Amino acid sequence: MTSATSQKPSTRRKSSKVSVLSSHRGGGGSLFSGLIRNQALDEPVQSLALGRIGLPFWASALVVLPVFVQAPWVRIQPFTSCLFGLVILGVGVITNAIAPRKGQEFGSLLVGFSGSWLAGSLFWGWLASHPLLHLPVEAFAFPLAITGLQTRWRLGCAFYLASLLGTAFTDLAMALTGVMSLWPAVIAASPGEASVLLQDAATFVLKPSSLLMVGSMGVVILQLVQYCRQRSNQSVPADVTWNLAAAVLFTTLLIDGLFLLLSLLAPEMSGLV
């Protein structure tokens, strides 16, 4: 009698465990089949996690690349710089079409980067003395990028739009601090004169009112970076697009800070000269 009663709680516990497993399986199917389904999900999740690490890094690298490669190149050979933008576009399209999944994502990223590269080559090659045209030229592919956010080119479009947003913040800061008024003179000056003008431009930013505006914009950019990262973490499965945009915006902020520092300490090394 004692043995019978002692087995009843155990039976009830087993029954409750079975019912819990059944509820997790959504009804039919065995525990083994449920484990198979879970195992099948492991690979895509790991792939997305790797993407969050890899693609934002490459996006940041592509933001930095024009500073060291395009800036000196476009001053000497703007036409070949434009042609190289078309090469990047072709490589991106082909990679997206024939490569494995990770290669396809990088191909999409290259397509977005080609838009930024082409716009930069066009502006700095022929229109650099007209600062008000900077943002419109950079935004030449804006309609395509907005449309492409719902296609397989989503990553490239996010890169281009985040870069464009960073450019808009930079140009707005230059306009509000008075630096943009010196832009045509810097472009037309000799390297020695341009260094002096850049130092003068940097001192504009060090005024209290200018520092307040620049600091406020920096805070706004950092808030946008945090928002993008939160959106990426809240997505199920995790969406690398938001992390990529955050990386682009944060890298743009770092480059602007570096440019200001170089303009003050070593203007001859600034990419604008």
Side-chain angles (χ1 to χ4, degrees):
M1 187 70 177
T2 305
S3 175
T5 55
S6 63
Q7 290 178 354
K8 288 182 180 179
S10 175
T11 303
R12 284 195 296 268
R13 284 195 297 270
K14 290 180 181 178
S15 300
S16 62
K17 290 179 181 178
V18 171
S19 63
V20 169
L21 289 171
S22 300
S23 63
H24 280 297
R25 290 197 302 266
S30 65
L31 176 59
F32 181 68
S33 64
L35 291 174
I36 291 176
R37 287 198 298 271
N38 289 338
Q39 184 65 28
L41 289 174
D42 285 345
E43 186 175 351
V45 171
Q46 290 174 357
S47 177
L48 285 168
L50 289 173
R52 285 203 306 275
I53 297 172
L55 284 175
F57 168 80
W58 288 112
S60 296
L62 291 177
V63 172
V64 175
L65 185 64
V67 178
F68 298 100
V69 178
Q70 186 182 35
W73 185 354
V74 76
R75 288 200 305 268
I76 302 170
Q77 288 287 339
F79 182 70
T80 57
S81 180
C82 286
L83 289 181
F84 185 68
L86 296 177
V87 171
I88 297 172
L89 175 62
V91 171
V93 171
I94 294 172
T95 302
N96 183 268
I98 67 175
R101 179 174 174 272
K102 284 300 167 187
Q104 291 175 0
E105 292 177 345
F106 188 72
S108 175
L109 181 60
L110 286 179
V111 169
F113 174 63
S114 71
S116 298
W117 182 282
L118 280 169
S121 298
L122 288 170
F123 177 80
W124 293 108
W126 292 280
L127 301 169
S129 59
H130 305 283
L132 293 180
L133 295 178
H134 184 217
L135 192 59
V137 172
E138 291 282 351
F140 82 101
F142 179 78
L144 289 174
I146 291 294
T147 305
L149 285 174
Q150 305 302 323
T151 69
R152 64 175 179 171
W153 308 105
R154 176 179 173 85
L155 290 173
C157 294
F159 175 90
Y160 174 82
L161 290 172
S163 298
L164 183 61
L165 181 60
T167 300
F169 274 110
T170 302
D171 284 8
L172 180 61
M174 294 179 68
L176 293 178
T177 57
V179 172
M180 190 169 285
S181 62
L182 296 176
W183 187 327
V186 171
I187 296 299
S190 64
E193 294 173 341
S195 298
V196 176
L197 289 172
L198 279 173
Q199 285 182 321
D200 293 340
T203 56
F204 278 26
V205 183
L206 296 180
K207 295 178 180 179
S209 58
S210 298
L211 284 175
L212 179 61
M213 284 185 288
V214 172
S216 299
M217 289 187 185
V219 170
V220 172
I221 293 176
L222 289 176
Q223 290 293 324
L224 287 173
V225 169
Q226 184 178 8
Y227 171 78
C228 290
R229 288 175 176 168
Q230 288 176 346
R231 284 295 301 266
S232 178
N233 294 332
Q234 291 171 359
S235 302
V236 181
D239 189 353
V240 68
T241 308
W242 288 102
N243 259 336
L244 187 146
V248 170
L249 286 171
F250 185 70
T251 307
T252 301
L253 182 62
L254 291 180
I255 290 176
D256 286 346
L258 177 62
F259 177 80
L260 176 61
L261 186 62
L262 287 177
S263 298
L264 285 168
L265 304 179
E268 67 278 1
M269 295 179 62
S270 171
L272 186 59
V273 178

